[in-house]
Amino acid sequence: GKDRTYADIAVPLLGKIQNLLSEFPILFAFEQGKILEKIGICSQINFVRYMQGVRTLGADQKLFIKDLCFGKVPVRIYQPKAPSSSQRRGVMFFHGGGWTLGSVGKITNTHENLCRSLARESDSVVVSVGYRLAPEHKYPAAYEDCLNATIHFMRNTEHYGVDPARISVCGDSAGGNLAAAVSQTLAGRSDLPKLRAQILIYPHLQALDFNLPSYQQNQGVPLLFRERAAFFALQYLNGDTSHMEEVLEGSHIPIDIKLNYKKWVSPDNIPEKFKARGYKPYVLLDCPTVVYETMKRFCEPNLSPLLAEDAVIQQLPESFILTCEFDVLRDDGLLYKKRLEDNGVRVTWYHLEDGFHGIMNFSNSDWMSFSSGERGLNNIVNFLKSL
């Protein structure tokens, strides 16, 4: 096919920049993929997936790492080698990548580093889930895979030396969306152990409003541009980006529905200090019926966890939320923090004043790292150790 032809021709030429691109897959490979798609060589998403898999890490002296399947869902398990006198914590990890990128078979070097660090530093068993990717597998495929893998793990903890009362879900970006959705679903299950915590790293939690202050302030800030955030959400929803303009301007959801959710999704719920870098209120636009028919599932909590009812939010476990100042998704995290706290859920919030979207992917990188990312990782590890 076209992808194979491109790989056969271009691999020798790309060798010198593979290391760079594997560390910055979104910044560089996405733009190159757009060009290649336009000239008909390969799809943009397939090119980024290819470039994300160009490097792999070797064995880890402190961890057993094994690829398995939980039912039909591929997973990678990271278990500390050191013997333990008691059962360990378990962490279900859902990787980011806009629901379209990453896997455990060819997982990005950055998420591999993060999973290894979490397992090593917190002395936990980490299970990274290789959920099905959009647009080939649309919503709710990724959510269902993450939910089913988590339930499987909960019912088989004895095989991994894990305490069933100390299982947490964790995810970054789109993975944070999946962790929040899985946590909400499991909150109402009486036949399973209760989750000990949810750890949401700059999560994507709603698709109603792409004009919140953080979207306006950071619309052109790497690694996640405003337009790209909408693109990924549409890829996950139905694989159709033809209504991108309506999504960005806010005319993809009827005014009455937006007003109904304004109590939860509104700039009014964002602390004023986060508007200091600039915010311009916008006029609500109505939505053509034909557009809403293709967008209405954006209002489902399994896709937009920020829209869950209070009765669900009240049952959620202790939570850790990490946000970054220079991130379009900052306000999603702030709004969810408020919802959790308003409903009596204990929240540990850590805000990286000098952080940007994707910064955690550079933790323990052998090529480039940021001190704020290391601080973020340390805070997550300390939170896990407290559970």
Side-chain angles (χ1 to χ4, degrees), residues 19 49 57 103 146 196 283 381:
N19 289 350
R49 289 175 183 168
L57 296 180
S103 71
C146 291
R196 180 63 183 86
V283 178
V381 168

Side-chain angles (χ1 to χ4, degrees), residues 3-21:
D3 291 343
R4 186 170 60 253
T5 300
Y6 169 72
D8 290 342
I9 296 173
V11 166
L13 301 177
L14 291 170
K16 294 182 179 179
I17 60 171
Q18 283 182 345
N19 289 350
L20 178 65
L21 288 176

Side-chain angles (χ1 to χ4, degrees), residues 85-349:
S85 60
S86 60
Q87 292 178 314
R88 287 188 163 96
R89 285 172 294 269
V91 180
M92 297 297 300
F93 183 83
F94 312 134
H95 65 79
W99 299 279
T100 66
L101 306 170
S103 71
V104 297
K106 191 179 278 189
I107 195 167
T108 66
N109 192 45
T110 48
H111 283 100
E112 179 76 3
N113 262 330
L114 182 54
C115 288
R116 292 185 182 198
S117 296
L118 289 175
R120 279 195 310 262
E121 304 304 322
S122 72
D123 193 36
S124 302
V125 176
V126 174
V127 179
S128 180
V129 179
Y131 56 83
R132 287 170 290 170
L133 301 176
E136 295 89 345
H137 304 282
K138 301 170 180 59
Y139 169 79
Y143 155 75
E144 290 175 342
D145 285 355
C146 291
L147 176 63
N148 290 334
T150 303
I151 292 173
H152 179 99
F153 188 60
M154 286 178 152
R155 289 176 171 164
N156 294 276
T157 53
E158 69 275 9
H159 299 309
Y160 309 102
V162 168
D163 182 351
R166 290 200 298 163
I167 297 174
S168 301
V169 291
C170 175
D172 68 309
S173 193
N177 168 283
L178 296 167
V182 167
S183 186
Q184 289 181 4
T185 300
L186 293 177
R189 292 284 293 264
S190 59
D191 60 322
L192 294 166
K194 294 296 184 184
L195 284 174
R196 180 63 183 86
Q198 60 174 348
I199 300 168
L200 311 179
I201 305 169
Y202 32 76
H204 190 303
L205 298 172
Q206 58 85 30
L208 268 65
D209 191 346
F210 288 84
N211 290 283
L212 292 167
S214 60
Y215 272 107
Q216 293 188 19
Q217 296 164 4
N218 303 305
Q219 59 182 318
V221 177
L223 298 170
L224 183 64
F225 302 147
R226 174 173 173 261
E227 289 81 2
R228 204 165 284 157
F231 170 85
F232 284 137
L234 287 167
Q235 290 288 337
Y236 182 39
L237 174 69
N238 56 23
D240 180 5
T241 59
S242 61
H243 294 299
M244 174 85 80
E245 183 178 344
E246 289 90 339
V247 170
L248 290 171
E249 70 180 11
S251 62
H252 63 305
I253 303 292
I255 289 179
D256 60 328
I257 293 178
K258 281 186 282 192
L259 290 175
N260 181 55
Y261 288 119
K262 189 176 181 182
K263 60 193 177 209
W264 300 330
V265 185
S266 170
D268 297 340
N269 293 343
I270 303 295
E272 287 302 314
K273 69 177 182 178
F274 290 105
K275 302 173 187 175
R277 289 198 292 120
Y279 169 65
K280 181 180 179 181
Y282 63 97
V283 178
L284 289 179
L285 301 175
D286 209 352
C287 169
T289 302
V290 64
V291 174
Y292 178 59
E293 281 302 308
T294 67
M295 301 286 168
K296 59 186 178 182
R297 298 195 79 182
F298 270 149
C299 296
E300 295 181 10
N302 286 342
L303 201 155
S304 295
L306 189 55
L307 307 185
E309 295 295 328
D310 284 342
V312 174
I313 301 294
Q314 291 164 6
Q315 300 181 67
L316 292 175
E318 183 177 352
S319 304
F320 180 100
I321 297 177
L322 183 141
T323 54
C324 293
E325 179 60 28
F326 300 100
D327 179 8
V328 292
L329 298 183
R330 180 197 69 198
D331 292 350
D332 280 25
L334 295 178
L335 292 172
Y336 204 49
K337 171 181 178 286
K338 174 175 169 52
R339 287 220 60 202
L340 291 165
E341 291 176 337
D342 287 349
N343 282 278
V345 178
R346 183 179 177 183
V347 178
T348 298
W349 171 55

